Amino acid sequence: MMKPMLLVIALFTMLLAGCGGMPKPVIEAAKPRADATNVRVMMAATNYDDAWDKENVRLRCHQIWLNDDDVPTNKEQVLDAAYNGRQGDKRAVLKMKDTDGRSTTRVRLQFELVSGENKTNENVSAGTTLEWYVPSSLANKDILMVAVVSRKGKNSYALDVLYGMDPATGELVQILPSYDAQ
């Protein structure tokens, strides 16, 4: 009777004390060029079923440049990540410059959740355009965007939450829904 009690006390003590001797991860991310942020995307399904693979769910992102009057002047596709494809392996680059080529921490991004078996029956389920103010701690980094997605119906999906994460430090920033939209 005494041995099981000592075991429980020992385990409880270890849990309370923690594992302070565990080393922190050492991640050497690719350093982007000046005035750029590298991004990769991973998607997590909240209600996965076989339809996800059949409907070819993808998350697209475009970077939009505005002129001085806030009129869109240029749009460039940054990434197109498939749920049933290899996730997180393709690195895209956000150019942290304005239309005149000056450095900026403000980037306008357009996100679209697209589904469809091929380009002829493609459907945009959800989309939003936001001005993402890159925190200085994530600027000029190699970050991972984690998208939490749910299926609403046939070829209909919702982008529930989107996070930006620096894998080297573990810092996590919520991109969507943005706090100013609430």
Side-chain angles (χ1 to χ4, degrees):
M1 182 75 165
M2 192 66 164
K3 286 185 181 181
M5 184 63 116
L6 285 175
L7 182 63
V8 170
I9 291 173
L11 287 173
F12 184 71
T13 304
M14 282 179 44
L15 287 174
L16 283 178
C19 299
M22 292 183 73
K24 293 182 180 179
V26 177
I27 298 174
E28 294 182 26
K31 184 78 173 156
R33 65 179 190 253
D35 296 326
T37 298
N38 290 338
V39 293
R40 289 171 288 143
V41 170
M42 296 195 70
M43 289 195 289
T46 59
N47 56 353
Y48 176 80
D49 61 20
D50 291 343
W52 286 73
D53 297 328
K54 293 175 189 168
E55 294 176 358
N56 193 20
V57 182
R58 296 176 312 284
L59 178 67
R60 281 192 190 143
C61 178
H62 293 90
Q63 185 170 356
I64 301 170
W65 285 271
L66 307 175
N67 65 14
D68 293 336
D69 297 323
D70 287 340
V71 176
T73 58
N74 193 11
K75 179 177 170 179
E76 178 182 326
Q77 183 170 312
V78 177
L79 58 90
D80 188 348
Y83 177 79
N84 61 354
R86 293 174 53 186
Q87 297 191 45
D89 64 336
K90 294 183 181 171
R91 188 175 278 120
V93 178
L94 297 177
K95 298 173 185 123
M96 310 305 283
K97 295 183 183 243
D98 61 15
T99 54
D100 298 324
R102 295 179 300 235
S103 295
T104 182
T105 57
R106 296 173 51 190
V107 176
R108 179 148 305 178
L109 300 176
Q110 177 185 42
F111 292 97
E112 296 175 329
L113 257 183
V114 182
S115 60
E117 295 165 6
N118 55 49
K119 294 240 182 227
T120 59
N121 69 351
E122 200 168 77
N123 177 49
V124 176
S125 297
T128 186
T129 302
L130 60 95
E131 190 147 333
W132 179 31
Y133 296 88
V134 180
S136 59
S137 59
L138 292 183
N140 200 242
K141 294 278 179 106
D142 185 27
I143 66 171
L144 179 66
M145 288 188 182
V146 180
V148 180
V149 180
S150 60
R151 185 170 192 264
K152 301 300 182 190
K154 182 175 171 79
N155 275 332
S156 179
Y157 295 84
L159 180 57
D160 300 320
V161 186
L162 182 66
Y163 298 100
M165 182 183 84
D166 180 353
T169 64
E171 180 182 2
L172 190 68
V173 175
Q174 183 174 319
I175 300 169
L176 286 173
S178 59
Y179 290 108
D180 57 335
Q182 295 176 354

